Amino acid sequence: MSSSYRVISFCLRGFRDRCQKCKQQDETWTKLSDGIGRLYRQEESLNLERFLQYHTYVYNYCNIYQGDVFYDSGQELYYRVKGFVECRLFELQEVFDYISDEESLVYYVERWKEFSSASDVVNRVCSHLNLFWVKPEQAKGRRDVYDIYQLTLVAWYEHVFLWVNCVITSSVLELIEKARNGENVDMSLVSGVVSSCLELGQKIEGPNAEEHHLCLYRENFETPLLESTEAFYKQKSEEFLKTNSVMEYMKFVVLRLGTEWKFAQDHLHESSRDRLIKTCERVLIQGHLEELQSVFQNLLENDNVFDLSCLYALLARTENGLAQLKDVLETHIYNQGTIAIAKCREVTTDLNIYVQTILAVHKKYQTLISTIFDKDSGFLVALDRACARFVNDNDVTGARLSPIDLAKFCDALLKQCLNTPEVVKLDDALYTLMVLFKYIDDKDAFQKLCSKMLVKRLCNYMSANNHIKASIMSKLMMAVSFEYTSTLRCMFHDILVSHELNGQYKQQHVQDLSDTNIDLNVQLLSSTFYQPNSNVKLMLPLELEQCVTRYNDIYGHRNPTRKLTWLHNMSRGELTTNCFRMQYTLQVNTFQMTILLQFNDQTSWTIHQLSENTGIDLDALIQSLRVLIESKLLKSQNNENSLLPSSSVELNTGFHNAESILNINYQIGSEMSAQQQEACQKQAEEKNRFVIQAAIVRIMKQHRTMNHSDLVAEVLKQLSKGLKPKVRAIKKAIDVLIEKEYLERQEGTVDAYSYMG
């Protein structure tokens, strides 16, 4: 009897303890739920005192002691909070059933902001529950248990979002369409819907699902937005083009794209910006590509820079939108160049005007491409193709542009720069040279001719500033081919070596210089770049011959394996006179100097005697004497145009001139003869043949077998940057290589070759 009494007493005590615990929890929950309700109804703002009070309610609810017994009520509190939130959301469902679609959007955004803000506060209040019950349960693998904030969002998604999703999406799209039509609407509603989609997606999918949290946003908002955008602008663009020009439509598109970008930046997720703009571009630009491309020719003809810039900016956004424009631009530039050259021919055939016409066309469209088309590589290629066509095939020359004429033009241009070394003129001259070099087909002949003329320029303009020469050559080195660059480097090196040897000569023979009063300056040139004219003969006077001998000794000591060839027809000097009433300084060439020095021995000579003393052939001697007679330094009984070997020439001791420095320099054979020009061009052609053959061998060695058309195409492709060979020259090179047994024709075929190396 005593034992059963004790059992009954224990059970009654446990029942009383549980009742006491439930009573305490109910009292705590009543206080906590009342505070949570006020938070969701936005009836109070939570200060520190209230926060600590609510946090204490949560702690007390979860941790109740009855004597020595501890009761963990976290699970119970968790489901009570969940039930409370769901009841609150059921009330919102009833409201949505009684309001219009437009009102639903405003009501949804307002309640979402209140709910998400209050849920964040409740989550912090329940931090003890999250830490000591939710996390341990999640660690056990329970996927239906969330932290309090995520729990509230899941409840919102299930009981509100799914309930009104279609209505909200439709309403927000209607709102965006009104804004696009110019109506004044509250765009913060769009931001509110976007915010709810992103927040719900992130919490439902979980924070570790990087891209998955955007699925809800894209499925319920972004995809419908893009579909409605496409439909809206398809209708708008068609209506606009019916009543407006294409130029006005371009401005409309630019404005709309800017508006859509601003809208996406302010109200959408960053991942939606490019998607929205791409959709607009596809409808507004790609959908009307033909209309936009059709006005390009007209804009070019009218030089409508603003609309060209606008058109380029639009078409550059689409794939292959610029392809047709590049072809149109190439044809337009070619036509403009051809027309300009035809007009030039009506006025004159002067090469200078012709080149300036080419440069004007090139510079105009190069500036257009640089400023309007953003230096687009495709447009630059179109410019190059068009210029190459009308530069080499035109109405002035009748066919291909002569590299000889262009080389002469560039030579004269650079001479002017040496005489007036201004930076602007120098840059313009180099720009001219580079344009011509870029577009002329026969580049190799042009290079060789320019090199020879540059050599003569270095010889004939020794007094020019060497800094200017260095500037010209350094800029050329940056702009032209490697072969031409290496040539110029060697020529510039020769100039530096000349300065060193001239300094060494003056240092070693300083006493001789003071005795003879002869100052010698020598310009060295490699025979690789200049072939001396072997037909020019001259016997120097003794005093000059001694100077030449001394210089040969110095050069031979430094370069024992080399020999100097003196180019007397390229040399010049200054003479000081003591035979007239006034002292004059005469600037003369070597032939004139040699002739005048003969009159130190006697004042009268026959032309035949002068020829024997100087070694100059009669034709060149008479040519030099004519200049000296015309300048009144010498005189003859015969007219200067009827001089004979027997004619007598004497010094004009009564010579008088107001100037003390006289330039009577006349260079014999200084101009490149027609034979030299022809030889130079033949050398270039011969070299081109070897270049073509080398390219064919290189290609066949790689492919082993090729048909004729593929081989020709590959050769043209490899040599397109420098030499532009004709198909006929390639065929001839193939025949030569077959004869030399580098290639053979494949048996059973007509147009296929095999490599035999």
Side-chain angles (χ1 to χ4, degrees), residues 206-214:
N208 295 326
E210 298 177 356
E211 282 294 326
H212 297 288
H213 73 275
L214 294 176

Side-chain angles (χ1 to χ4, degrees), residues 306-397:
F306 177 79
D307 288 340
L308 280 172
S309 176
C310 181
L311 179 62
Y312 173 78
L314 293 178
L315 296 183
R317 292 171 173 264
T318 63
E319 186 177 359
N320 298 325
L322 298 173
Q324 182 177 339
L325 266 61
K326 296 170 186 176
D327 296 335
V328 173
L329 179 66
E330 179 180 344
T331 303
H332 176 77
I333 296 175
Y334 172 73
N335 291 336
Q336 291 298 309
T338 304
I339 294 171
I341 292 173
K343 291 181 180 179
C344 172
R345 185 182 183 184
E346 293 176 0
V347 178
T348 180
T349 56
D350 182 26
L351 184 63
N352 186 24
I353 298 177
Y354 165 69
V355 172
Q356 295 303 327
T357 303
I358 291 176
L359 295 177
V361 174
H362 178 269
K363 200 162 191 176
K364 174 183 176 181
Y365 290 101
Q366 186 182 51
T367 303
L368 180 71
I369 293 171
S370 299
T371 56
I372 306 302
F373 300 147
D374 196 26
K375 298 181 180 179
D376 187 283
S377 58
F379 285 96
L380 290 173
V381 170
L383 173 65
D384 291 342
R385 288 177 178 173
C387 290
R389 287 170 60 193
F390 74 74
V391 164
N392 292 284
D393 190 1
N394 52 75
D395 288 337
V396 173
T397 60

Side-chain angles (χ1 to χ4, degrees), residues 555-568:
Y555 183 82
H557 180 73
R558 179 168 176 169
N559 303 282
T561 60
R562 297 182 183 179
K563 180 182 178 181
L564 290 178
T565 300
W566 292 83
L567 306 180
H568 298 305

Side-chain angles (χ1 to χ4, degrees), residues 164-282:
V164 297
N165 172 38
C166 295
V167 174
I168 297 302
T169 302
S170 176
S171 299
V172 76
L173 292 180
E174 290 178 4
L175 185 74
I176 294 172
E177 184 171 341
K178 290 180 180 179
R180 286 170 173 166
N181 286 322
E183 298 184 28
N184 189 16
V185 296
D186 185 6
M187 295 301 292
S188 63
L189 297 176
V190 180
S191 301
V193 173
V194 170
S195 173
S196 70
C197 291
L198 292 172
E199 191 72 16
L200 292 173
Q202 184 176 9
K203 293 301 179 182
I204 291 173
E205 297 292 342
N208 295 326
E210 298 177 356
E211 282 294 326
H212 297 288
H213 73 275
L214 294 176
C215 292
L216 185 143
Y217 164 75
R218 288 175 178 167
E219 180 180 351
N220 295 279
F221 178 79
E222 184 186 90
T223 301
L225 172 64
L226 297 180
E227 292 174 353
S228 67
T229 299
E230 184 172 355
F232 174 82
Y233 279 118
K234 185 176 182 180
Q235 178 184 357
K236 278 289 182 183
S237 61
E238 291 174 354
E239 292 177 353
F240 192 92
L241 280 171
K242 287 179 181 179
T243 57
N244 296 274
S245 65
V246 177
M247 270 69 79
E248 291 298 324
Y249 177 73
M250 290 192 297
K251 298 174 185 177
F252 166 78
V253 175
V254 171
L255 179 62
R256 287 293 184 169
L257 290 176
T259 303
E260 292 297 329
W261 176 258
K262 184 71 167 57
F263 162 70
Q265 192 174 28
D266 292 343
H267 304 291
L268 305 183
H269 186 264
E270 59 182 9
S271 65
S272 299
R273 296 172 192 169
D274 290 339
R275 297 171 185 263
L276 179 63
I277 298 302
K278 288 294 183 184
T279 300
C280 295
E281 290 172 353
R282 186 174 64 255

Side-chain angles (χ1 to χ4, degrees), residues 509-545:
H509 299 282
V510 60
Q511 185 62 40
D512 295 333
L513 291 175
S514 61
D515 293 342
T516 61
N517 200 23
I518 297 177
D519 185 10
L520 180 68
N521 285 284
V522 179
Q523 172 69 60
L524 292 177
L525 297 171
S526 173
S527 59
T528 306
F529 314 125
Y530 183 80
Q531 298 296 330
N533 188 352
S534 58
N535 295 326
V536 177
K537 298 179 181 180
L538 178 67
M539 294 170 52
L540 291 176
L542 180 61
E543 51 268 42
L544 293 180
E545 187 64 38

Side-chain angles (χ1 to χ4, degrees), residues 537-541 545 568 594 598 611-616:
K537 298 179 181 180
L538 178 67
M539 294 170 52
L540 291 176
E545 187 64 38
H568 298 305
T594 304
Q598 298 299 315
S611 177
E612 290 181 346
N613 294 342
T614 61
I616 305 174

Side-chain angles (χ1 to χ4, degrees), residues 370-489:
S370 299
T371 56
I372 306 302
F373 300 147
D374 196 26
K375 298 181 180 179
D376 187 283
S377 58
F379 285 96
L380 290 173
V381 170
L383 173 65
D384 291 342
R385 288 177 178 173
C387 290
R389 287 170 60 193
F390 74 74
V391 164
N392 292 284
D393 190 1
N394 52 75
D395 288 337
V396 173
T397 60
R400 297 167 65 87
L401 186 62
S402 168
I404 297 175
D405 292 336
L406 282 184
K408 287 181 179 180
F409 174 81
C410 294
D411 182 62
L413 198 62
L414 292 176
K415 283 180 182 179
Q416 294 176 6
C417 291
L418 289 175
N419 292 330
T420 56
E422 299 175 8
V423 176
V424 176
K425 291 186 177 180
L426 180 62
D427 290 341
D428 289 343
L430 290 176
Y431 167 76
T432 302
L433 179 58
M434 292 308 102
V435 170
L436 296 176
F437 179 81
K438 185 176 184 179
Y439 296 127
I440 188 172
D441 279 349
D442 201 351
K443 289 183 172 60
D444 203 55
F446 182 71
Q447 286 181 359
K448 289 184 177 297
L449 291 167
C450 280
S451 297
K452 292 183 180 297
M453 293 176 180
L454 179 59
V455 169
K456 295 180 180 180
R457 215 161 40 246
L458 294 176
C459 293
N460 299 335
Y461 292 85
M462 298 288 287
S463 60
N465 191 339
N466 285 324
H467 174 71
I468 300 299
K469 296 178 185 176
S471 176
I472 291 174
M473 284 186 278
S474 63
K475 289 187 178 183
L476 287 172
M477 288 176 189
M478 292 187 294
V480 297
S481 66
F482 174 79
E483 180 183 358
Y484 196 39
T485 300
S486 61
T487 301
L488 291 174
R489 285 198 184 114

